Amino acid sequence: NSVGLLSRRHLRASAVTMQKPSLSISVLLQAVTALMTLMLVGIFAIYATRALESREQAGRVPSIVDVSYDLFAAVQALRIERGSVNAALAVTSLIDPDLKTEIITSRVQSEQSLDSAFVKLLGISARATAPAIEELRESHIAVAELRRKIDAALQQTATQRTKDLGGSWVATNDRLIRAIDVISSHLESELAGDDPFVS
């Protein structure tokens, strides 16, 4: 009996001893599997975040290009208007009807392009453009105020006009064009930073 009891105890101890390593291996495998799963989930989350950011940036590209087109069109129209007004102010007599039509046409084009750009700029919220947009607004207001003086002067002969009006017109027009150029540069740098392919 004692021998049988001892052999049974020995068998139980052997079984327990054999089970301990198998339990520790099982726990170790579960821990490693859980750790690898967490790592994979973390990696996939990082890739998903980057993919979403890339998608948002890609969605901004057409909007930025659209605003840039409006700004470019506004600059071209402003330059035509500046030249036409300078030519009109240089003439001693009253303004020629064709030249007046050219001034009005270029003015309408620049106003339409700028109005469109202002609306689109609010939707883009591009980096570092807030001060540039404020400068654009102020210079745009200055041009609008000077246009009223220009229109009044073009109804007069050269002797009746204010002498420094031409210089003021060029300086004010140039300020507006510079403000547009600053915003265009901001938008261009944002495109270049977002996507090497677009660059």
Side-chain angles (χ1 to χ4, degrees):
N1 282 342
S2 61
V3 173
L5 188 63
L6 278 173
S7 64
R8 273 188 244 138
R9 283 184 186 165
H10 180 69
L11 284 172
R12 279 190 204 145
S14 298
V16 169
T17 307
M18 289 181 70
Q19 283 179 354
K20 280 183 183 175
S22 65
L23 283 174
S24 62
I25 289 173
S26 173
V27 170
L28 183 63
L29 281 174
Q30 288 176 3
V32 169
T33 305
L35 183 63
M36 288 177 65
T37 304
L38 285 174
M39 286 177 61
L40 284 173
V41 168
I43 291 169
F44 288 146
I46 291 168
Y47 277 118
T49 304
R50 287 180 183 170
L52 284 172
E53 287 173 0
S54 298
R55 183 180 173 187
E56 287 175 9
Q57 290 170 352
R60 287 167 56 82
V61 169
S63 300
I64 291 174
V65 171
D66 199 19
V67 174
S68 298
Y69 177 79
D70 286 336
L71 294 174
F72 177 77
V75 166
Q76 298 309 308
L78 284 166
R79 286 180 174 152
I80 292 170
E81 181 187 2
R82 180 178 60 191
S84 301
V85 168
N86 286 340
L89 289 173
V91 176
T92 55
S93 59
L94 293 176
I95 186 172
D96 179 76
D98 291 337
L99 193 54
K100 185 176 182 179
T101 303
E102 188 175 299
I103 291 170
I104 292 169
T105 302
S106 57
R107 186 178 293 178
V108 167
Q109 288 174 347
S110 69
E111 287 301 298
Q112 287 176 344
S113 297
L114 278 176
D115 288 344
S116 176
F118 276 126
V119 172
K120 292 169 186 174
L121 281 168
L122 292 174
I124 288 177
S125 66
R127 294 188 290 264
T129 54
I133 292 172
E134 187 58 33
E135 170 59 20
L136 180 61
R137 285 189 194 285
E138 290 175 6
S139 56
H140 183 236
I141 290 168
V143 165
E145 289 172 355
L146 193 55
R147 277 173 176 161
R148 287 191 282 274
K149 295 179 183 177
I150 294 287
D151 290 344
L154 293 179
Q155 303 302 318
Q156 303 168 335
T157 60
T159 54
Q160 297 171 311
R161 294 173 193 154
T162 308
K163 290 184 179 179
D164 63 341
L165 194 58
S168 298
W169 167 247
V170 171
T172 307
N173 192 283
D174 283 347
R175 179 188 170 195
L176 178 55
I177 289 174
R178 279 195 304 274
I180 293 171
D181 286 342
V182 168
I183 292 179
S184 296
S185 298
H186 280 308
L187 295 175
E188 183 181 336
S189 65
E190 184 163 340
L191 280 179
D194 284 346
D195 192 338
F197 177 74
V198 173
S199 304

